[in-house]
Amino acid sequence: MVTYDTYITAAQVCELRSKIADLGLIISITLVLDNARYQKCKIVEKLALSLSIELLYLPSYSPNLNLIERRGKTVP
């Protein structure tokens, strides 16, 4: 687990990918991400490629797929 109390940058995203790769899993890894700029930059994509981690981006507007969008909403 990686936890931050401040602004997230590409460096933190790269750290998370490295920690996942260090687990030594023998299965393929696919990370599902939203389209945040710090997740979609070249440095993050290049690191994921070098670690054999597939990046799958959610569609631009997908509140039903992005669980954080549901936080704070009340159920009718």
Side-chain angles (χ1 to χ4, degrees), residues 10-22 27-33 38-57:
Q12 286 87 18
V13 175
C14 288
E15 179 184 355
L16 175 62
R17 281 165 180 65
S18 296
K19 286 186 180 226
I20 291 171
D22 289 344
I27 59 172
S28 61
I29 301 169
T30 302
L31 295 178
V32 179
L33 307 164
Y38 58 84
Q39 293 179 356
K40 217 169 180 183
C41 65
K42 292 294 180 195
I43 190 167
V44 170
E45 291 178 347
K46 186 184 270 189
L47 177 64
L49 182 64
S50 72
L51 297 174
S52 299
I53 295 175
E54 179 185 5
L55 302 178
L56 176 63
Y57 294 100

